[in-house]
Amino acid sequence: MSLTSPLDVVLVFAKAPHPGRVKTRLVPLLGAEGSSAFHAQLIEHTLATAHRADHSTLELHADPADDEFIRACADRYAIKLVQQQGGDLGARMQNALHAALHHGAYDTAVLIGTDCPALAPSHLRLASNALRDGDDAVFVPTEDGGYALIGLRRCDPRLFEDIAWGGADVMWQTRERLNALGWRWSELQKLWDIDRPPDYERLLANGMLERIESGTGNSE
C-alpha cells in the first residue's frame, strides 16, 4: 500500500543535540561534543528515512523546539515543528499521539525516536499498513526491551502511565497494557538502538555509520 493518504502522520521525537544532555553513555567513547554531533547525525538520518517512507504528513516533535539545529531540520523538510509537552517520555508520547489522532484528525499515527538507525522506510510502511488493516497498535521492539516505533489507530493513556522508560521491561509492560485493553496489535522485526559504546562499535562493524554520516537515511 502506498502511503499517500493525508490521514496518516509520522511523528519524529528528538532531543536537541546539546553536549552533555544527549547520548551521555557514549561520552566515554566519543566525548561530549562528539556524542552531541553523532546525535545530530542520527536526527538527520531519521528524518531522511521517514521522508522516504512517502507519508503525506511528517512532523518533528522536539525538546526544545526553538533550537537552531532543530529549526534548520524542520525547514529542510518543510515540516511542522512541535514542542514536546509533558513530564516523562510516556506523557510526551501520549500527548503527541492524542493530539494527532483526536485534534489533528488523522486516522493513524506512527511515532519514532532517533536512536534506531536500523529502522527503514519499509518498517514505517508496514506499520501504517498494519493499522490500516485493522490493528489498534503496532510496534517495532528493540533488543534492549523497549521499542523504536509505536503506531496507533486510537490512543489510551494507560499505554504510557507508570512504565519504567529506559528499562528492559518497557515492551513487556506495554504488552500487559494492550492485553488489559483488549486491543489487537502486531509487532514487526526486532531491531537495535544505539545507546552504549558496544552499540556504536556494532554500527561501525556493519558499515552503517557511513550512511548515517551522509544524512541520507535508509533506502529500503
Side-chain angles (χ1 to χ4, degrees), residues 14-220:
K15 289 183 180 179
H18 296 167
R21 295 182 59 187
V22 295
K23 287 285 170 274
T24 55
R25 285 176 285 186
L26 290 179
V27 169
L29 179 66
L30 302 177
E33 293 288 343
S35 298
S36 174
F38 177 61
H39 180 75
Q41 291 173 340
L42 287 174
I43 293 173
E44 293 182 297
H45 175 86
T46 303
L47 287 170
T49 296
H51 181 71
R52 281 183 170 82
D54 298 326
H55 281 75
S56 57
T57 305
L58 176 63
E59 297 180 359
L60 177 56
H61 289 241
D63 182 32
D66 61 357
D67 175 79
E68 182 178 357
F69 172 81
I70 292 292
R71 290 200 307 268
C73 286
D75 289 344
R76 184 175 308 126
Y77 290 97
I79 57 177
K80 182 179 180 180
L81 178 59
V82 182
Q83 171 66 47
Q84 294 179 18
Q85 300 289 336
D88 66 5
L89 176 60
R92 291 171 183 237
M93 291 196 296
Q94 155 66 18
N95 288 336
L97 288 163
H98 178 83
L101 292 171
H102 295 278
H103 304 313
Y106 295 106
D107 285 345
T108 71
V110 172
L111 186 152
I112 60 174
T114 61
D115 292 338
C116 184
L119 193 74
S122 57
H123 297 111
L124 295 172
R125 296 186 192 108
L126 287 169
S128 188
N129 289 348
L131 296 171
R132 289 256 168 219
D133 288 343
D135 281 354
D136 297 303
V138 60
F139 298 85
V140 171
T142 52
E143 294 177 2
D144 61 6
Y147 53 79
L149 175 153
I150 175 173
L152 297 180
R153 199 158 52 89
R154 52 177 167 160
C155 199
D156 192 299
R158 285 171 287 182
L159 276 180
F160 306 99
E161 293 171 347
D162 301 320
I163 298 288
W165 301 108
D169 294 329
V170 171
M171 194 65 234
W172 179 80
Q173 290 178 293
T174 302
R175 292 186 190 106
E176 284 197 323
R177 307 296 174 80
L178 292 161
N179 281 325
L181 288 168
W183 284 14
R184 169 182 162 182
W185 87 92
S186 58
E187 298 180 24
L188 305 182
Q189 171 191 4
K190 184 180 290 186
L191 300 178
W192 52 287
D193 285 335
I194 308 296
D195 290 317
R196 305 172 187 274
D199 303 324
Y200 189 83
E201 299 295 341
R202 182 177 178 180
L203 197 71
L204 290 173
N206 64 24
M208 289 179 64
L209 185 59
E210 292 84 357
R211 204 157 59 238
I212 293 171
E213 289 175 338
S214 71
T216 58
N218 285 311
S219 58
E220 296 177 41

